[in-house]
Amino acid sequence: MADKSQRSDLIEFVKRLLARNPDAAQSIAKRIRDKAGLETANLEEAPPSPRDVIDLLTRSPIADLETIVSEERPVFFVERNGEAGLNFEDVSLIGVEAQTLFELSKQSRAVPEGLVDRVGRIDLVDFPGGAPFAGTGWLIDAGIIVTNRHVANVFARRQGQGFVFRQGAGGGTMSTVWDTGHFRDAASGGLRRQIAEVLYIEPDDGPNDIAFMRLASLGHGDELPPFKIAGSDALENTAVFTLGYPAKAPPSRISDQALMQRLYRGIYDVKRFAPGYITAPRAGATTHDCTTLGGNSGSVVVDFKTREVVGLHFAGIYKETNLAVPASQLNFYVAKKRWTLPLVIESRPAIAQAPQPAPGGRGTVSVTVPVTITVDLGTISTVAGAARVGMSVEHAAEAFWKQKPEGVLAARVGYLEDDGRIGDTPCIAVSAQPGALEGLRADGPHSFQGYQVQYAPATVEEQLEGLMSLEAAAAPNAYDDDARRDPKYQLSPVEELMTVRAHVSPEYGFDELKAFMSEDAGSWVSAIYEFRASAISDLMAKRLAAGTKIILAADFKTFADVDDETTEFDAEAIFQKWADRFGDGKFKRIAVPLGTTGLVQQSYHIKVTVRNDDKFWLSSGNWKSSSSQPIIDPSERDRATEEGPARQSRVARDCSKPNSSRAISRAHPSGCAAVA
């Protein structure tokens, strides 16, 4: 089926080519014959018709057909010798339509050459994975550049109702720069501006792959006008071009490496111009067939004739089509100044996640982080039916996904609407291919393991994920698995008797942690996701002063701005003070490599401290005042020992009150210290 569908798409490409260039029929037929070795009539004596070409295509091996399609789109260097311009000498032209696009580009060169300074590369400074840049961005408003969500997510993240830059390789905050240079001649520079602020990143479930950033004002270059966006979406066969920074793709993404090398002349990461045409529209997206690679994400798509933007390029399906956020959507964001509006944080009821022991049997709980602790809980009574439903909806969604009907692209936990609002009743929310949606709604399962199944059309992004990986020059998911299998990263299982001390938190969290941290120790190794509490940093400072050698790994959230000076400390300043006072021999802080070549994709959630290699502390709570609180009301501690209906009733009452986050946290036991 996949081969048949792909063949159909490729043939449609050639049909569009022949509609624009009927004279190309003979050239295409000859190339097909030469590549595939098919027997044809003498092409010189009897020139083939478009119908003859289509007949040859249906008999041609698909690999040869793919090559023919991808050869027709040239790529040009953008260079600067005084003024920025296109290089029409050093370019690979393959096929009749490539020559046509060459002539069009040469005749209309004033259009792209007048716009290239409004497009820049988004460079990464101190990126943990080592990648030089994340993608492309262009001026959409005064001092505002636009790029893709998946590009911005490489170096920024959401925090509260705003966005912050991620942690850099050195432990500090990353920074990014928008640079309109990066020509093939490295000596030719462009305007280089710091990205001062990430203003908006579309939520993952949002309709468009889009993000906005504000440039730092340096005076020079502030007069650069933004692009003008077209008033309507581009029609099929409109001649367009992209401006961006294609990065070299690995064989896993582009199998025909020789063709890629030929089209790009073996040079990547520099500014390029690529002409092509608008192709058949897809729901929610504009499509085009300009040649692109990873790094083109965020490229501008411009109409040759009008000089207006018709799309924000965000992805490509190899040898099929490229997709862009359409002009109509871009106009909506600009008209509403979407980057000035606060994020809407959707609140949904939490679903309890807990182990489900067999009714009336003995239960065990295993926690892996990465050591595995197994605790025998003794005889456990049957969990109430209502609680079991709440705990199993995630499992039901996972089970549905494992046996999903054809056409399903995603399955997750959702909530049924109640009087036009998000209600409290969970369901299985299913995203389907648009073409399969009607059939699934009619014949697909409407309930599964006791939950209603709701079908909705898949977003463009979900459709892409079913076909390919999104482009990004520094997509944070290309792990070096061979490196992670190095012996130094391997842990041997510990199979011996242990003594476990468990407690509820936060009622007893700080007391237990304080006792653990106050005992004499020659060495500590701590991995903490978020370390913010001053009371705990004071305990660590005392241990350092007592001679304990400490190695600490802390996530970037530890270095966020201090919100409450009475309970939080300035991690950047305190850690530097410890390093200066005690030296690397006593205090060492490690930044876990994140991103493309790192050990962790974007963040980690470990909270464990090992002491003297024979005792460790483990918790699901972070080292911050809201998780391991140094001050606990005595009545709260007394109630922590309540069991059964009395405790459930109390938690239900507390959760019904305003500001009940602490009551909710008390409902979930967490934290333990164990001695080997």
Side-chain angles (χ1 to χ4, degrees):
M1 288 296 294
D3 183 89
K4 182 178 179 181
S5 173
Q6 188 177 18
R7 179 181 296 278
S8 175
D9 289 336
L10 295 170
I11 290 175
E12 286 301 316
F13 175 96
V14 178
K15 285 181 178 179
R16 292 193 298 270
L17 186 157
L18 291 172
R20 291 188 293 263
N21 292 283
D23 294 341
Q26 184 167 357
S27 171
I28 294 174
K30 184 177 186 302
R31 288 160 65 197
I32 295 171
R33 182 189 63 182
D34 293 344
K35 284 181 175 294
L38 299 175
E39 293 184 4
T40 62
N42 189 314
L43 298 178
E44 287 70 27
E45 295 180 2
S49 66
R51 182 182 296 274
D52 295 330
V53 174
I54 300 304
D55 176 65
L56 285 174
L57 291 175
T58 59
R59 295 189 287 126
S60 175
I62 193 166
D64 294 328
L65 182 55
E66 287 176 341
T67 301
I68 292 167
V69 168
S70 57
E71 288 175 347
E72 291 283 349
R73 294 292 174 267
V75 184
F76 299 79
F77 287 105
V78 179
E79 298 185 338
R80 181 182 292 280
N81 295 309
E83 296 295 323
L86 306 183
N87 184 318
F88 289 96
E89 304 297 326
D90 194 4
V91 59
S92 296
L93 300 177
I94 310 170
V96 173
E97 187 147 272
Q99 186 64 45
T100 299
L101 287 170
F102 176 86
E103 297 298 335
L104 172 63
S105 301
K106 200 167 188 178
Q107 293 169 9
S108 307
R109 64 185 302 168
V111 176
E113 289 179 349
L115 300 173
V116 295
D117 284 335
R118 306 179 203 183
V119 178
R121 203 177 83 171
I122 299 176
D123 290 346
L124 302 173
V125 180
D126 204 25
F127 181 65
F133 74 107
T136 301
W138 47 276
L139 282 166
I140 194 171
D141 204 354
I144 306 296
I145 62 169
V146 63
T147 188
N148 295 143
R149 167 179 55 210
H150 70 273
V151 171
N153 281 336
V154 171
F155 54 83
R157 62 181 177 86
R158 178 171 168 174
Q159 179 172 289
Q161 291 193 329
F163 301 90
V164 296
F165 290 99
R166 296 185 182 276
Q167 182 183 8
T173 302
M174 282 180 57
S175 62
T176 53
V177 176
W178 183 69
D179 193 328
T180 64
H182 293 296
F183 301 102
R184 176 168 56 167
D185 178 6
S188 300
L191 179 66
R192 188 170 174 85
R193 299 274 293 278
Q194 191 82 19
I195 295 177
E197 184 181 7
V198 177
L199 300 173
Y200 176 80
I201 302 176
E202 183 91 342
D204 290 342
D205 57 355
N208 295 301
D209 194 345
I210 194 168
F212 299 93
M213 287 157 281
R214 180 175 63 83
L215 297 174
S217 178
L218 299 180
H220 174 67
D222 284 346
E223 73 283 356
L224 277 178
F227 280 91
K228 182 179 180 181
I229 302 173
S232 59
D233 294 339
L235 300 176
E236 189 172 359
N237 289 321
T238 299
V240 296
F241 61 85
T242 65
L243 289 167
Y245 294 85
K248 185 177 182 180
S252 60
R253 293 290 302 277
I254 302 293
S255 57
D256 194 340
Q257 293 279 295
L259 176 61
M260 180 182 70
Q261 288 286 89
R262 184 178 180 188
L263 288 173
Y264 285 91
R265 318 292 279 187
I267 299 174
Y268 306 92
D269 303 347
V270 299
K271 184 170 279 188
R272 296 294 194 128
F273 161 85
Y277 295 93
I278 295 295
T279 54
R282 296 192 178 195
T286 288
T287 65
H288 66 93
D289 58 16
C290 305
T291 299
T292 63
L293 292 174
N296 273 115
S297 287
S299 293
V300 65
V301 185
V302 181
D303 186 326
F304 259 111
K305 186 175 181 180
T306 67
R307 297 170 53 97
E308 295 176 341
V309 175
V310 295
L312 166 70
H313 174 83
F314 66 86
I317 301 174
Y318 181 48
K319 294 182 177 177
E320 183 178 335
T321 193
N322 293 311
L323 296 101
V325 178
S328 56
Q329 288 292 301
L330 295 175
N331 276 317
F332 171 81
Y333 285 89
V334 174
K336 298 291 184 181
K337 300 291 183 184
R338 183 65 187 86
W339 51 87
T340 66
L341 302 178
L343 290 173
V344 177
I345 301 177
E346 184 180 277
S347 178
R348 292 184 174 182
I351 300 174
Q353 297 292 323
Q356 299 182 54
R362 296 182 65 85
T364 60
V365 177
S366 293
V367 184
T368 304
V369 289
V371 296
T372 299
I373 307 165
T374 301
V375 181
D376 191 332
L377 301 178
T379 302
I380 301 175
S381 59
T382 304
V383 179
R388 185 165 57 248
V389 171
M391 287 186 291
S392 63
V393 63
E394 295 279 0
H395 300 297
E398 183 178 355
F400 181 92
W401 172 252
K402 289 180 179 178
Q403 48 186 283
K404 59 186 181 294
E406 186 174 353
V408 171
L409 295 181
R412 60 182 68 83
V413 175
Y415 293 87
L416 299 177
E417 288 190 3
D418 183 5
D419 195 24
R421 300 174 64 86
I422 297 175
D424 296 337
T425 305
C427 67
I428 301 174
V430 175
S431 297
Q433 292 175 344
L437 181 61
E438 185 176 346
L440 286 168
R441 283 176 170 171
D443 303 322
H446 290 82
S447 64
F448 187 81
Q449 293 190 2
Y451 294 94
Q452 187 172 334
V453 179
Q454 293 279 301
Y455 295 97
T459 64
V460 172
E461 190 170 1
E462 287 172 329
Q463 294 177 51
L464 284 170
E465 287 176 354
L467 295 170
M468 54 154 300
S469 299
L470 288 173
E471 294 176 346
N477 57 7
Y479 297 125
D480 184 350
D481 286 325
D482 289 336
R484 294 199 297 171
R485 283 190 281 266
D486 188 279
K488 67 182 179 181
Y489 295 122
Q490 305 304 307
L491 298 176
S492 302
V494 177
E495 299 178 351
E496 58 186 69
L497 291 177
M498 296 184 181
T499 300
V500 176
R501 180 180 175 88
H503 63 81
V504 292
S505 181
E507 288 88 349
Y508 290 89
F510 183 72
D511 285 352
E512 293 293 331
L513 178 59
K514 182 179 180 180
F516 176 81
M517 297 180 76
S518 299
E519 294 181 20
D520 290 337
S523 66
W524 277 2
V525 177
S526 294
I528 296 296
Y529 179 67
E530 190 172 3
F531 183 6
R532 311 267 294 171
S534 298
I536 301 176
S537 71
D538 290 344
L539 291 174
M540 186 172 286
K542 290 179 180 179
R543 282 266 49 88
L544 284 166
T548 300
K549 179 181 178 181
I550 296 178
I551 298 176
L552 171 68
D555 190 73
F556 56 81
K557 293 193 72 173
T558 295
F559 302 91
D561 292 338
V562 173
D563 295 325
D564 185 352
E565 293 183 356
T566 63
T567 61
E568 297 179 356
F569 70 102
D570 185 336
E572 192 87 40
I574 292 297
F575 291 166
Q576 186 60 52
K577 178 181 177 181
W578 291 349
D580 293 341
R581 179 181 175 186
F582 301 107
D584 286 342
K586 287 294 184 181
F587 177 74
K588 183 177 183 181
R589 183 172 61 83
I590 297 173
V592 175
L594 307 180
T596 307
T597 59
L599 296 174
V600 182
Q601 179 171 329
Q602 293 180 350
S603 62
Y604 50 94
H605 222 69
I606 297 173
K607 300 131 191 170
V608 62
T609 292
V610 179
R611 192 180 72 202
N612 290 343
D613 292 330
D614 64 358
K615 192 173 186 177
F616 65 89
W617 173 92
L618 171 70
S619 176
S620 64
N622 288 293
W623 281 356
K624 56 182 185 177
S625 58
S626 60
S627 295
S628 300
Q629 302 175 39
I631 302 176
I632 295 292
D633 186 281
S635 64
E636 294 177 328
R637 185 170 297 172
D638 293 340
R639 292 184 302 184
T641 61
E642 294 175 6
E643 298 180 2
R647 180 175 177 84
Q648 293 175 7
S649 175
R650 173 180 64 76
V651 172
R653 289 196 308 272
D654 287 346
C655 289
S656 68
K657 299 176 183 178
N659 303 320
S660 63
S661 61
R662 291 180 67 194
I664 294 173
S665 71
R666 286 198 301 271
H668 301 283
S670 64
C672 72
V675 183

